[in-house]
Amino acid sequence: MPKRQAREQGYIFMMVVISLSLLAALALWMGSDTSISNYTTGAQSQREQARYAAEAGLKHAHWQANASNCSNYPNLVSTALDSGGELDYSAAFTSNSGSPIEIIATGKTASGGKVKLGRWLQVFSSPENGAFSASADSHITATPANSNYGSLTKTKIDSEAGGKARGLYLFDISSLGSESTIVSATLQLNIEDPNLLAPLDISVHAVNTPWAQSGVTWNQASAGANWASPGGEYSATPYASATINIGASGLVNWDLSDLVSAWQAGLPNNGILLKASGAIDDSIDFSSRESSDPADRPKLNVTYRCECGRNCATAAFCDPHLLSQEIHHTATLSSLGITKPFGMAYIPKGVDLAGYSDETDGMVLIADEGQRLLVLTSIDGSLRAKFSIGGAAKGFTGLSWATGGNWDKHILLLAEKGRSIYVFNSSIFKRATLGLPSNLIANGISHISTTKEGLYNNHWLFVGQERVLLGFNHVAFITDQNMNLVHKINLPASIKDPQAVAHIANFDEMFVVDSGSNNVVNLDFDGNELSHYSLNDYTTGSVAGFAINTEACQHISSAIANDRYFSLRRWSGCKAYYQDNFNAIAYDGSDGAKNWSASLWIERGEADGPSAGHIQVDSSGWLITSGPSKAVYRHFDLSGHSLATLKFMYKRAQLDDAADFVIAEISSTGKNGPWTELARYEGPGTDATPASEEFDLSSHISNDMWLRFVTADTLGTDDAVWFDEITIEVCPE
């Protein structure tokens, strides 16, 4: 669907919604037990009628904002709600752009009733369209059951009453991020062979198990890994179906809006399986991703929208913070033939690197200084390939893969002991040599694709040393794509020997490996330490290489001294013990393993409940904190656990300066404290994208723990910080 057409349909839909809302409000008022004439006296009835009008004004203004594509929200002047002029409303915005916004609506009656309502609401941009090509496809047959067809230019669907051929397709939509709101999603396949003997009904099912195009068969999902049941593991209930008629040709569509929305909500995306339920032995062929004509290849067309200020196409989908870790994979460097691994880079899934790719987890590229090789492995440390770069470079110190900018899909190798950069394309062909600023020596490099604030998008991040008059300073520094210095960061004195660095999209943070202490240190872009963990539990040698798997958030390291390659993941023994996702306008939300409903959020400074006031739960699923000297508390018991982590999402709204803030605090000795400040969310700023926070509570564990959010004495009524997905995660020993 063309973008303009999609937008017009979206506006028409919203106009229908607002019209229905107005009619519903009017009907509710007019349909009460007694007619309006019986309510012309009495202040209470006047207020109720005015409230209905104000609610209609909020809905009308919200529709106007959603139809304005994130800017220039128009205030509503006095608008009649009924033809007789008995009711009218007006509405104004406290900000005319962005999201969330506060709307103040006033409802009035002809007899003098008046009610003013204020509400913070999310606003969305106009719908956008994305077309996703299949990242893998194939078909599987009951006979022969062990044949793979992943390299064919066609996929076959054969009736379940006949040969039983089923189609498999995988579409990687992770670039949309979890913040995108799906409007519609349509699977599009092109018919190659229309010779049907009867109409064929083809249903679409969600696949429950990962599979690989190069190894999938009727019996196995990938090489060496069988399906639990031959023929694939998939949802019994189809998400969509379509009938292919005799003589049909061209494109066929299936509505997969519900399935793609489910993927966005957390259902693992292992692709789809298509099967035919015709009563006779009949089949049809569709063009595969190997088709010579790109127009015929499988596509998933997605229309989505974003909350104003967010970039849904690059929303973060990986939380890289590992406050608790465990070994996920381990291997020896000697088994890979590696002698000096100075530099590691994560290669995303689906990337073709000199003929090698991985559709499930991606791969790792390791720079071996000892043999001047680039060594490609799977995430588990198994060898995939070795690439010789001869005398093109020496003195390796770091490695990175670019995911955007001038060197998109290129390898950048730090060489000449951190003074030069050699650029190779995905075929391992040298394209360029770049120089660093003369007073800087780099030990590690990472590509910055996107940041939270957008300041350093498509820049380069380095750690190393800065030459000064009396020696060296340990620094991190950011350059533009031409290696011009744009930001220098003095590293904390606790970092003795920075050897590697990694960045994750949409974070204004970095992860620095300090071989002096063998710590992985999480820093912001001003050099402030946010957290750290030790690698000494996993290796006896100093770590020389480090990368982060941006799909699964594994931290991958290599150490020469004890011949070790290993990856760490978040401790799988952890679980969301207490959790409140604010799915209802209530203070007893309980979405974790432990029932939290008996302990309610408690307001301080007001007592008007979760649906009103400065402290409230919004209908869009956020806890809002605003106004001066307010607070909200909740109790929890972590006795019996040794490790605990607090996590939540937050976003600021219209904070003017540093005097506008909300503090997150913890107490392990009861509601009266003392309180430990975890973080302060202050102005100036309105966050376009929610940010995630994570705090180690292990040193605070007790049976009388309290979490609270406290507003500043000077916080205005229009200033707010929103919180969501509040989770206390515990890890049993």
Side-chain angles (χ1 to χ4, degrees), residues 323 636 638 642-647 666 678 695-702 705 707 727-729:
L323 292 182
F636 55 99
L638 292 183
S642 59
L643 296 174
T645 303
L646 168 66
K647 299 191 293 186
I666 196 78
L678 300 175
F695 305 95
D696 187 356
L697 301 184
S698 302
S699 62
H700 299 274
I701 286 177
S702 77
M705 300 184 68
L707 170 67
T727 303
I728 294 101
E729 187 178 80

Side-chain angles (χ1 to χ4, degrees), residues 42 98 127 142 186 207 222 265 295 407 448 451-452 504 562 620 631:
T186 304
V207 180
S222 58
W407 297 111
I448 302 176
T451 57
K452 176 185 172 184
I504 290 291
N562 66 338
S620 61

